Amino acid sequence: MNHAASSPRRPKPATPDSARTDQACGGLITAHHGVEVKVVFTTGNHRMVRVKRSSGHVVGDDVEVVGEALRRLPRRTELRRRDGRGGIHLVAANLDVLGIVAALNSPLGFIDRAIVAARVAQLQPFVVVNKCDLDDTTALLANLHRIYTGSVPVFAISATGRTGLVPLQAFLNQGHRGVFVGSSGVGKSSLLNALCPAINLKVGKVSDHNGLGRHTTTVSTLHTLSGGGELVDTPGFRDFGLVDILAEELAIHFPGFEEHGEVSCRFRNCRHRTEPGCAVIRLVEQGQIPADRYAIYLELLSEVEADQSEARSKGWKN
């Protein structure tokens, strides 16, 4: 018996950026879930790609995907921080602005460390004072304006009350890609919900003890704002230790010192602590640099020096 030859089954056409193909597809990592990342392709399609936990990929990375292989493209910028144990963490990549969110009970020194870290990473820092609908925030806002006006933009807002958002939105809508950092409970998730309501991030309950909420974000994600610009939401953290900075460079980036950049010290590598002929010390004595700001600078200087000393010690041991 003769049987007619059955025609071969034609495979369904594959979408290059959503299937395993040998064609390289360019995209952007918009979410990191530990063992897999979400890649949004230039076509607008997206899919999840598995990665090793130690792969080093972060939200904001430009990548090429070939099948299940992920190749990271060179970064324009990267924001890194040091935790309380000395570990170094990459926060996000290819940013151009850094928003530092503050509220009552924010840890002292966090804003200054973050501003310095932003400037070292070649990002533009700005400060967002949240929960300005609370009476107790009035003094905090006045103090932050005193310290940072002239150094970085300061925005006063209430994320839950949706007040003060227009100037901040106008700033971000200029096409910036940024990330908000701040200790847990300053209202970063509430702020992102106010700026980008579609994401509907869960907000932690406010503690009766300290008036701070508990940050509930567990993965990093990137969100597009309706008026332009992008924001990365990251898990909250308390530590923002400095990375990739030398002790001699700290004064260049420290907020409040830049307006005195025209003064010169006797020694080119002056650290502004005890060196003779130090112009910064002279300005502190004259009251042109507030003593409290100089004290914070010295605190950060000691931290940077300790990190440098430890790095040299490890280098010698190796």
Side-chain angles (χ1 to χ4, degrees):
M1 177 184 284
N2 292 329
H3 295 280
S6 59
S7 59
R9 296 180 63 184
R10 293 183 178 180
K12 294 181 179 180
T15 303
D17 54 14
S18 62
R20 298 181 181 181
T21 73
D22 293 331
Q23 180 179 351
C25 302
L28 170 70
I29 294 179
T30 62
H32 198 305
H33 298 272
V35 295
E36 61 180 1
V37 296
K38 179 180 179 180
V39 178
V40 175
F41 296 94
T42 54
T43 61
N45 295 331
H46 64 84
R47 71 180 176 94
M48 305 301 295
V49 180
R50 292 190 64 83
V51 296
K52 295 180 179 180
R53 288 189 179 275
S54 59
S55 68
H57 295 98
V58 293
V59 168
D61 269 334
D62 293 315
V63 295
E64 284 185 346
V65 180
V66 181
E68 291 300 314
L70 192 68
R71 183 174 77 88
R72 176 172 60 82
L73 301 180
R75 291 170 176 151
R76 297 181 299 279
T77 63
E78 57 182 31
L79 178 65
R80 305 202 298 167
R81 71 175 183 91
R82 190 185 305 274
D83 64 24
R85 299 178 180 177
I88 296 175
H89 305 270
L90 185 58
V91 178
N94 298 321
L95 305 170
D96 64 296
V97 296
L98 175 67
I100 304 136
V101 186
L104 288 172
N105 300 322
S106 294
L108 295 175
F110 188 99
I111 295 177
D112 295 301
R113 287 179 178 85
I115 289 175
V116 172
R119 290 174 168 173
V120 169
Q122 299 183 337
L123 311 181
Q124 178 185 355
F126 62 96
V127 175
V128 178
V129 187
N130 194 14
K131 306 185 182 183
C132 285
D133 52 333
L134 302 178
D135 293 337
D136 293 344
T137 307
T138 303
L140 170 66
L141 178 61
N143 190 45
L144 295 183
H145 269 301
R146 174 186 68 85
I147 295 172
Y148 298 111
T149 297
S151 293
V152 298
V154 178
F155 298 93
I157 65 127
S158 169
T160 57
R162 301 189 63 82
T163 59
L165 293 176
V166 173
L168 178 57
Q169 288 171 321
F171 173 78
L172 295 170
N173 291 161
Q174 295 174 22
H176 294 306
R177 177 186 290 172
V179 61
F180 287 126
V181 298
S183 58
S184 297
V186 294
K188 290 198 283 106
S189 291
S190 297
L191 176 55
L192 278 164
N193 283 337
L195 294 170
C196 191
I199 64 178
N200 193 28
L201 295 174
K202 185 179 178 182
V203 179
K205 182 180 178 181
V206 174
S207 168
D208 294 332
H209 173 66
N210 57 20
L212 295 178
R214 180 173 56 86
H215 196 294
T216 56
T217 299
T218 57
V219 299
S220 293
T221 51
L222 182 144
H223 307 280
T224 301
L225 303 179
S226 59
E230 297 169 326
L231 287 173
V232 177
D233 182 40
T234 63
F237 44 79
R238 287 194 172 276
D239 303 309
F240 209 117
L242 298 176
V243 183
D244 301 327
I245 183 171
L246 299 176
E248 295 79 9
E249 301 171 338
L250 178 61
I252 300 173
H253 304 291
F254 187 76
F257 281 21
E258 63 277 293
E259 61 187 81
H260 304 292
E262 69 280 0
V263 300
S264 58
C265 300
R266 179 183 302 176
F267 301 106
R268 180 180 300 178
N269 61 346
C270 183
R271 297 187 180 185
H272 317 302
R273 181 184 278 117
T274 58
E275 296 88 342
C278 174
V280 170
I281 295 176
R282 184 167 64 252
L283 291 171
V284 174
E285 294 171 346
Q286 294 172 352
Q288 295 187 50
I289 292 179
D292 59 342
R293 299 298 299 150
Y294 181 60
I296 294 177
Y297 164 78
L298 291 178
E299 179 183 339
L300 295 186
L301 178 62
S302 295
E303 293 180 11
V304 173
E305 289 173 333
D307 291 336
Q308 283 184 219
S309 177
E310 181 180 357
R312 285 195 298 267
S313 175
K314 290 181 178 179
W316 291 335
K317 290 178 181 179
N318 293 335

